[in-house]
Amino acid sequence: MTSKLTAAALVAFIILTIGDYLISYRALESNVLNNVATNISQSSQLINTTVASANNAHGNDLATLQTYFNVMLNPNGNSGIIYIVVGRADGSILMQAGAAQKVLPIPDNLENYSQAAKRGLIHVRDKVLLADNEIGFLQYGVATGDLMHAMEQSELDSLLLTSSVILVCFVGLTMLGFTITRKLSMLKQATQEIAAGHFELRIPEGGGDELSDVAHNFNQMSEAIEAKIREISALNQELELRVQHRTSDLHVANLELENNIHVLQQTRESLVKSEKLASLGAIVAGIAHEINTPIGNALVAASTVNEIVKDIDDKASKGKITKSALANFIQQCVEGSHIIEISLQRASELIQSFKQVAVDQSSERRRQFNLATTIQETVLTLQHTFKHTNFELETDIPADVVLDSYPGALAQIFTNLINNSLIHGFEGRAQGRMKIHAALVETKRVKISFSDDGNGIASENLKRIFDPFFTTKFGRGGNGLGLNVVDNITHRILGGRIEVESELGQGSTFIVDIPLSAPTV
């Protein structure tokens, strides 16, 4: 800072000195030359009057005037008029006094007086009235050497005086700058010490100027910072104690939370198992309902055949069997046997289908299976729940879609979706329609959609329906795990994704997008 202030003061000193010199020189030169021009004009008038008077008085008295001028003029001087020449218009000389040359020099124009004065001699020419009203010329020389020397000396004295004043100011400014920068350096050093943590540092406040006020304010700031640091340190100690207590409490709370999470996980696994058992229960109910009809028909046919056999046996024991009675007996036995065979075969087919669905859902075994067949078997196990109602389920699945995946997991998904529609989607409704549609996507995936025209799902619930334990029937038989199980099976086992589209009052559509070949679980 000191070097910068010194350099700035030095540059200012040089600029002021040069500027003052140039301005003073120009002003003095202009004044001197103006005075020279004025003196020349006055001298021309005086000489012209004198020459005119001498030329017209007593016939011609120019000789006397010439003697006078020779005495008065200083031919070798450096100031004033050094020669005077009077001549006619044709150039002939009438009078010549002082240091006049035989060949008159070229006179200077008024515009050239400045350069001529610097040269030391100004040649002036003017008109003069001679005898008989003849117009001649008057030429004289004005020496300016002493005048120019005096002007230069005056300029030099002015330059020295100005330089002295500016030099004194420069020294004063330099000392002032040194004083200011010394205090600023102290402030800088103090700020560095404060930044290093030495808040007890104080700087001198003497001087009675603005920098002293800054030093005073700085010391107050240091005291305030030191007080705040002490206060913050006390608060930090208190905060550390609180953090220790809170950490201890948080540790205990974390242990409790981990225990609760473990309990919830066990509860969730238990509920998931309950969901699977409920599905198996639905399969058992379906088996009981669907097999009841063919088994009942077989029992009726068997009892009928049994009565016929007893009747023919009674007739045989009495020897009353006729040909027509035997033929009728044989015909009735054939018909009864046929009815029993058909009914038992139907029951066997139903048992086989239910058995496959039950095995798939309970074992999660991977195998190749036909999508349409698996979906149809799943629907068959649930059909008894809405068979005699106004709720309908339609399937539209290509017959040639074969998957290498987990049929039990897929059956679990659509079991839950169908039950979800029957319980929630059609709540408060007397009729409704469900549909399962499937289509291949890029030959490697299949997209299966399940839709209903029921109540739909509120927009605020759409993002939460797959969350565990979320249900709108909490406390009324719902555990909130049905759709969460569907979501987990779709992602974790089948390697796909599930989306839902729904508007309140417009029904819902669940879209299950899975690969034809499931990833290895």
Side-chain angles (χ1 to χ4, degrees):
M1 181 67 76
T2 303
S3 59
K4 291 182 179 179
L5 288 176
T6 304
L10 181 61
V11 171
F13 165 71
I14 295 173
I15 292 175
L16 288 174
T17 302
I18 295 174
D20 179 73
Y21 174 77
L22 293 177
I23 294 173
S24 300
Y25 181 79
R26 293 295 182 186
L28 182 60
E29 181 184 31
S30 177
N31 290 333
V32 169
L33 292 179
N34 287 335
N35 290 334
V36 168
T38 302
N39 291 334
I40 288 174
S41 177
Q42 293 175 352
S43 298
S44 294
Q45 294 178 3
L46 180 60
I47 295 173
N48 199 316
T49 302
T50 303
V51 170
S53 300
N55 192 34
N56 293 319
H58 311 291
N60 188 346
D61 203 9
L62 288 179
T64 303
L65 186 60
Q66 180 178 359
T67 302
Y68 173 75
F69 282 156
N70 282 330
V71 175
M72 296 297 296
L73 298 179
N74 184 9
N76 298 319
N78 289 323
S79 63
I81 299 174
I82 62 172
Y83 78 88
I84 298 176
V85 176
V86 178
R88 289 191 176 90
D90 58 4
S92 59
I93 303 301
L94 296 177
M95 185 198 77
Q96 183 173 336
Q101 302 175 4
K102 292 182 180 181
V103 180
L104 292 176
I106 300 173
D108 296 308
N109 296 326
L110 180 61
E111 294 79 5
N112 298 330
Y113 282 178
S114 175
Q115 296 179 358
K118 294 177 182 179
R119 190 175 62 237
L121 180 62
I122 301 175
H123 300 283
V124 182
R125 176 171 288 192
D126 200 358
K127 294 178 181 180
V128 66
L129 181 63
L130 302 177
D132 300 327
N133 293 324
E134 181 184 359
I135 303 298
F137 72 89
L138 168 67
Q139 181 169 332
Y140 59 92
V142 180
T144 60
D146 292 342
L147 183 63
M148 291 295 105
H149 178 72
M151 183 183 71
E152 291 175 357
Q153 187 62 39
S154 176
E155 179 61 30
L156 181 60
D157 294 341
S158 175
L159 178 62
L160 290 175
L161 178 61
T162 303
S163 299
S164 299
V165 173
I166 295 177
L167 181 60
V168 171
C169 294
F170 167 72
V171 173
L173 287 173
T174 302
M175 295 180 64
L176 178 61
F178 176 76
T179 302
I180 294 174
T181 53
R182 182 173 60 84
K183 292 185 177 181
L184 290 176
S185 179
M186 292 174 59
L187 286 173
K188 175 184 175 183
Q189 183 66 28
T191 56
Q192 292 176 346
E193 293 292 332
I194 291 292
H198 302 151
F199 301 106
E200 72 283 354
L201 179 67
R202 301 293 182 269
I203 58 178
E205 301 180 6
D209 53 11
E210 287 80 0
L211 288 176
S212 300
D213 294 338
V214 172
H216 176 71
N217 294 335
F218 180 86
N219 289 334
Q220 287 185 331
M221 179 189 70
S222 299
E223 293 175 0
I225 292 176
E226 187 176 9
K228 288 294 182 182
I229 291 296
R230 289 195 297 268
E231 182 180 350
I232 291 173
S233 298
L235 290 175
N236 282 339
Q237 292 178 356
E238 183 181 355
L239 183 60
E240 287 178 359
L241 293 176
R242 290 184 179 180
V243 169
Q244 290 177 0
H245 291 306
R246 293 292 175 87
T247 302
S248 177
D249 295 341
L250 184 60
H251 179 68
V252 174
N254 284 337
L255 292 177
E256 293 179 356
L257 181 60
E258 289 178 0
N259 184 55
N260 291 335
I261 291 175
H262 181 68
V263 172
L264 287 175
Q265 183 67 27
Q266 290 180 336
T267 303
R268 180 179 179 277
E269 292 176 357
S270 176
L271 290 174
V272 170
K273 291 179 180 179
S274 298
E275 286 287 322
K276 291 185 177 181
L277 291 176
S279 297
L280 291 176
I283 293 174
V284 172
I287 291 175
H289 187 274
E290 293 296 328
I291 294 181
N292 185 57
T293 299
I295 293 297
N297 292 337
L299 287 175
V300 171
S303 62
T304 302
V305 170
N306 187 39
E307 291 179 359
I308 294 173
V309 169
K310 287 181 179 180
D311 183 63
I312 199 67
D313 182 62
D314 183 60
K315 289 181 179 180
S317 61
K318 295 178 180 180
K320 296 181 179 180
I321 298 178
T322 62
K323 185 177 181 180
S324 60
L326 183 60
N328 185 48
F329 167 74
I330 293 172
Q331 179 65 30
Q332 288 180 344
C333 285
V334 170
E335 292 178 355
S337 299
H338 181 66
I339 292 173
I340 293 172
E341 181 182 4
I342 292 175
S343 298
L344 293 178
Q345 184 177 359
R346 174 59 178 164
S348 177
E349 291 175 354
L350 289 173
I351 291 173
Q352 186 63 32
S353 296
F354 288 127
K355 179 181 177 182
Q356 184 63 59
V357 173
V359 169
D360 287 338
Q361 290 198 14
S362 60
S363 67
E364 296 186 355
R365 183 170 57 87
R366 178 173 183 159
R367 64 181 177 85
Q368 288 191 350
F369 61 93
N370 182 276
L371 177 62
T373 302
T374 299
I375 295 295
Q376 192 61 44
E377 289 174 347
T378 302
V379 171
L380 185 61
T381 62
L382 299 173
Q383 197 168 14
H384 69 279
T385 59
F386 58 89
K387 186 174 183 179
H388 300 293
T389 66
N390 291 325
F391 301 118
E392 299 179 2
L393 175 60
E394 175 187 352
T395 58
D396 179 17
I397 303 172
D400 57 347
V401 179
V402 177
L403 286 80
D404 181 9
S405 189
Y406 300 89
L410 188 63
Q412 181 73 40
I413 290 175
F414 287 94
T415 297
N416 286 10
L417 292 178
I418 293 171
N419 286 332
N420 191 68
S421 290
L422 293 173
I423 296 172
H424 299 283
F426 297 135
E427 183 180 16
R429 294 176 176 244
Q431 60 183 10
R433 185 177 183 83
M434 298 172 286
K435 182 176 181 179
I436 302 177
H437 172 77
L440 288 174
V441 180
E442 299 178 354
T443 71
K444 293 183 179 181
R445 304 182 68 86
V446 61
K447 184 177 291 187
I448 313 169
S449 66
F450 173 82
S451 60
D452 64 47
D453 58 357
N455 298 321
I457 303 171
S459 57
E460 63 270 17
N461 295 334
L462 275 178
K463 295 182 179 180
R464 303 179 58 195
I465 59 173
F466 294 117
D467 293 344
F469 307 110
F470 174 76
T471 178
T472 58
K473 290 184 175 295
F474 192 77
R476 295 182 292 160
N479 56 28
L481 283 176
L483 292 180
N484 178 252
V485 170
V486 169
D487 183 58
N488 284 335
I489 291 175
T490 304
H491 288 83
R492 183 175 60 87
I493 299 178
L494 301 182
R497 57 182 179 270
I498 183 169
E499 299 175 355
V500 59
E501 300 173 356
S502 180
E503 291 185 14
L504 203 60
Q506 302 296 320
S508 304
T509 299
F510 291 85
I511 302 172
V512 179
D513 186 349
I514 57 175
L516 295 179
S517 179
T520 301
V521 177

